[in-house]
Amino acid sequence: MTEKYALQLEKYANLIVKVGVNVQPGQSVFISGSIEIAPFVRKVAEKAYDAGAGNVYVDWSDEALSRLKFERAADEVFSQFPSWETEKRNSFVEKGACFISIVSSNPDLLKGIDTNKLSSFQRASGQGLQEFRRAVQSNKVSWTVVAASSQGWASKVFPDLEPADAVNRLWEAILDAVRIHNDDPVQAWKEHHSTLISKVDVLNSKHLHKLHYTAPGTDLTIELPEKHIWVGAGSNNSQGNAFMANMPTEEVFTVPYRDGVNGYVSSTKPLSYGGNIIDNFKLTFEKGRIVKVEAEQGQELLQKLVDTDEGSHYLGEVALVPHISPISNSNILFYNTLFDENASNHLAIGSGYAFNVKGGENLSAEELAEAGVNSSITHVDFMIGSAEMDIDGIDYDGNVVPVFRKGGWAL
């Protein structure tokens, strides 16, 4: 862990534990992270114990071994997902653990790998972690996704810098995005959460029936479930403890009505998926279903993403982020969804969040489907916002309510 940012990283680790998952006394903590960022992972574990955590378990990954496996292992390996991997996460859910995912992967890690292996792996892991995903998407547990700077990722974002300088520059960008440079980052996040909730309250008061998006390459209408709820990243788990699912976050979001999406939408930022980049793509919808996929880069992989299962042909999330926002203003393309989605309006292919409909946390899978919430073994966000995007809300009486104009809030 770079000495230059030791104090800031100390504050960042504390923020993840105190605000990200809000560790409770005696609670188990499950951390996912790469061996390349091991010093920072250890710092987060230290802060978790300081906060009173019981057992802190770290699920390590290794990019070099991951690449080696995709290069050398037989095709059939990627259609299998170990039962012990499923049981491991599910057992921590049953213990009431909180989950911290620290992302740092190289966006080009699996460039050139057979897309059949990639799609088989995504499908198998999606099926194996389906129960865990349901727990997360219904807020049964506290969870957060955060980031750490790594060499592969940093060199992708800042290709003109020397490797060590690129790592430091990415750390600076991450720390800026999560408000570490405030005197009291925890208080700064409470105030930021209140700002997002003010937008949530306005949107919920409008009780909109549809959203109509227009921008170059985009003319899309999204119907919303009758009992939809707008939320920010701040949530409460089933025990009533607050947590922040994404850090950074600038979004407010809800769930679309599964069969109510029509028109076409174009991406405005690259999508890092499966260790590859998908860029300049367009999706066309009819009655909710993706019926046409076009991409200048990564067409085959994007098609395989859409074909993961039946639910991956539909949308599961609609999120609003003003074009003028801290991450967007940085003018940095992160090639990482956690950051790029918080610089742009975005949508998600795949499953919807149960808590985005009234009482959804307590509904069965069948009841959620009846309410219009999509189900899938995948959930992948992609960016569509720009300074040229307008969004109109349409209420149940047919009245038009300006929501966005030229990429900014109109409410």
Side-chain angles (χ1 to χ4, degrees):
M1 185 162 53
T2 176
E3 291 299 320
K4 182 178 180 181
Y5 301 104
L7 179 59
Q8 293 96 321
L9 293 178
E10 187 97 8
K11 292 167 68 177
Y12 182 27
N14 184 64
L15 184 70
I16 292 168
V17 167
K18 294 286 184 66
V19 175
V21 289
N22 187 14
V23 172
Q24 300 297 300
Q27 186 177 28
S28 293
V29 181
F30 187 107
I31 304 175
S32 302
S34 167
I35 60 171
E36 186 175 356
I37 58 166
F40 184 65
V41 174
R42 296 185 192 114
K43 180 58 65 176
V44 174
E46 177 188 318
K47 292 299 181 182
Y49 281 124
D50 287 348
N55 176 38
V56 178
Y57 174 83
V58 178
D59 192 48
W60 294 106
S61 61
D62 182 334
E63 290 194 352
L65 285 177
S66 296
R67 174 80 195 190
L68 186 63
K69 179 177 180 179
F70 275 96
E71 289 177 336
R72 304 292 182 87
D75 290 358
E76 57 267 23
V77 168
F78 299 97
S79 60
Q80 304 162 6
F81 192 79
S83 59
W84 54 266
E85 286 280 12
T86 301
E87 292 163 5
K88 178 171 62 179
R89 286 168 178 77
N90 290 348
S91 68
F92 274 89
V93 169
E94 291 308 311
K95 291 176 184 176
C98 58
F99 293 80
I100 301 170
S101 178
I102 308 176
V103 299
S104 61
S105 61
N106 179 354
D108 291 324
L109 176 65
L110 301 179
K111 186 176 182 179
I113 295 296
D114 182 357
T115 56
N116 289 318
K117 288 184 176 181
L118 296 172
S119 60
S120 292
F121 172 75
Q122 295 291 344
R123 185 178 295 108
S125 59
Q127 291 170 340
L129 298 176
Q130 196 165 16
E131 187 174 343
F132 171 67
R133 183 187 294 277
R134 279 197 292 265
V136 166
Q137 293 183 333
S138 64
N139 283 346
K140 180 177 180 179
V141 296
S142 298
W143 56 281
T144 193
V145 183
V146 296
S149 181
S150 66
Q151 186 62 75
W153 180 20
S155 292
K156 177 69 175 181
V157 178
F158 303 108
D160 297 330
L161 297 181
E162 292 297 318
D165 292 336
V167 170
N168 286 339
R169 181 67 186 89
L170 183 55
W171 268 125
E172 290 173 4
I174 291 170
L175 295 172
D176 280 343
V178 296
R179 294 171 162 77
I180 286 302
H181 299 305
N182 286 272
D183 292 336
D184 185 348
V186 171
Q187 181 60 32
W189 269 90
K190 290 179 180 179
E191 293 171 3
H192 177 51
H193 176 59
S194 295
T195 299
L196 293 177
I197 292 302
S198 69
K199 295 299 183 185
V200 164
D201 290 343
V202 172
L203 284 164
N204 282 329
S205 71
K206 300 296 184 183
H207 193 222
L208 298 173
H209 179 42
K210 298 178 182 178
L211 295 173
H212 181 211
Y213 292 70
T214 54
T218 293
D219 188 350
L220 188 72
T221 300
I222 300 177
E223 187 176 345
L224 304 175
E226 184 179 357
K227 295 183 179 180
H228 74 273
I229 298 173
W230 291 91
V231 301
S235 300
N236 292 317
N237 66 16
S238 57
Q239 284 74 48
N241 297 319
F243 67 95
M244 190 68 62
N246 288 347
M247 300 178 77
T249 184
E250 303 292 336
E251 67 177 317
V252 298
F253 63 98
T254 192
V255 63
Y257 183 72
R258 182 182 188 271
D259 300 324
V261 183
N262 292 280
Y264 55 89
V265 64
S266 296
S267 67
T268 53
K269 292 180 182 290
L271 169 62
S272 177
Y273 173 73
N276 286 262
I277 297 296
I278 303 170
D279 201 6
N280 293 325
F281 58 93
K282 181 179 179 181
L283 302 177
T284 302
F285 295 80
E286 291 180 5
K287 296 180 179 179
R289 201 172 198 273
I290 299 171
V291 295
K292 188 176 182 180
V293 173
E294 304 167 82
E296 290 183 13
Q297 180 180 348
Q299 165 96 22
E300 183 179 6
L301 186 57
L302 179 58
Q303 186 64 62
K304 289 183 181 298
L305 163 59
V306 172
D307 291 338
T308 299
D309 61 9
E310 179 58 22
S312 57
H313 291 80
Y314 297 81
L315 295 180
E317 180 186 337
V318 49
L320 301 179
V321 181
H323 182 69
I324 302 300
S325 61
I327 297 174
S328 180
N329 292 346
S330 74
N331 292 316
I332 297 172
L333 180 59
F334 285 89
Y335 297 97
N336 180 291
T337 300
L338 175 62
F339 289 81
D340 292 335
E341 74 170 7
N342 284 300
S344 170
N345 288 320
H346 56 274
L347 305 171
I349 292 170
S351 58
Y353 292 101
F355 55 77
N356 277 133
V357 293
K358 186 176 181 180
E361 300 94 328
N362 301 314
L363 297 181
S364 66
E366 294 75 15
E367 289 169 327
L368 285 170
E370 187 176 344
V373 179
N374 187 40
S375 176
S376 173
I377 60 174
T378 194
H379 178 100
V380 178
D381 298 273
F382 64 98
M383 286 60 74
I384 64 168
S386 73
E388 300 174 276
M389 175 164 279
D390 292 341
I391 304 175
D392 284 320
I394 303 168
D395 67 20
Y396 280 86
D397 294 323
N399 299 311
V400 175
V401 180
V403 176
F404 264 55
R405 287 292 180 268
K406 301 300 179 185
W409 287 106
L411 290 173

